[in-house]
Amino acid sequence: MVNKKLTLGSVILLTCIGCNSDTNDQQKMLDDNQAKWESLNITDYTFTQRRSCFCVPEVVQPTVLLIKDNQTVLSYTEQDEVIVDKQFRSSFLTVNELFIKVNSLIDNSESLTVEYHPTFGYPTLISADIDKQMVDDEFSINSGDFVDTTDAVCPEIFFPSFTLNIIDNDTQAPLNCDVYGRFQFEDKEAEEFLLDTNNQCDPTTPVDLGTNFGIANLTVKSDGYNMKKIDEIHIIADHCHIKTQNLNISLTAK
């Protein structure tokens, strides 16, 4: 009976030593790779991230993140280029936030696998099971397609947020002059526009508007016509330019 107790105690001791060793190895790997990342002084970049978890559909799609000054300024689905709804944006992490996530999981998960990029050091895979006795708490975060844009030089080319081609719904005649309205992006002031023939406006030339990206609402008006409103226009961008949304708008006479 004594021998059995000693054997059991030995197993428990060895198991705990193994746990501490694994935790120490994970921490050292994290520290080494975080130091590698910080030594590169990367502040601006893009990369793609995908979560695997028992979550809402909005957070499990491959998502492109645009990072400037170490802050996420845009996140949109890779396939459909739909900007992530504001309530789900915090689910997608910058590289610095990935390191913080790993550091928390080292001591607060029962199973943890982390892989790091050999050049940049950021976590390319985080796979964790918080509690093996619980169901549906496992998750993974895959990050890749990394592009460093910290020192990128952008060409001086104007990329408007959207280009409007406005026509009379009945006659199909161009109405790109003598129109006015406003547009507004999330968390930004609304901007008004006015186009008329007095400003040498060409009615056949499409209208360029805006210099921002994000989700926008647009209102177009012209005297004698019903107002046209378009909500939730998704405009994405990369480090250097906006991907212009081309909008064909028909106005109906009153």
Side-chain angles (χ1 to χ4, degrees), residues 52-70:
S52 177
C53 57
F54 295 92
C55 307
V56 295
E58 287 83 356
V59 302
V60 297
Q61 300 182 66
T63 299
V64 179
L65 305 182
L66 176 61
I67 313 296
K68 292 188 177 183
D69 294 327
N70 290 312

Side-chain angles (χ1 to χ4, degrees), residues 96-213:
N96 289 338
E97 289 168 339
L98 289 173
F99 283 123
I100 293 172
K101 188 73 171 178
V102 173
N103 191 60
S104 173
L105 290 169
I106 287 175
D107 292 321
N108 294 287
S109 60
E110 293 193 5
S111 175
L112 176 64
T113 299
V114 185
E115 296 176 4
Y116 297 89
H117 193 280
T119 302
F120 298 110
Y122 72 88
T124 58
L125 169 67
I126 303 172
S127 180
D129 186 351
I130 306 302
D131 186 344
K132 291 185 178 296
Q133 302 301 315
M134 295 181 63
V135 179
D136 300 348
D137 69 335
E138 307 93 338
F139 72 91
S140 65
I141 304 173
N142 287 272
S143 302
D145 299 326
F146 183 92
V147 178
D148 176 13
T149 58
T150 303
D151 298 319
V153 178
C154 299
E156 295 183 1
I157 301 174
F158 173 62
F159 296 96
S161 302
F162 23 72
T163 296
L164 312 182
N165 188 44
I166 307 164
I167 62 172
D168 183 300
N169 186 64
D170 298 320
T171 67
Q172 303 298 297
L175 296 174
N176 292 324
C177 294
D178 296 317
V179 294
Y180 55 99
R182 60 185 288 164
F183 58 90
Q184 184 171 18
F185 286 85
E186 284 181 313
D187 304 322
K188 292 182 172 63
E189 294 290 333
E191 298 184 52
E192 297 185 350
F193 64 92
L194 170 63
L195 302 167
D196 57 55
T197 51
N198 294 327
N199 294 325
Q200 297 181 333
C201 178
D202 178 2
T204 64
T205 301
V207 179
D208 290 336
L209 294 175
T211 58
N212 289 310
F213 54 82

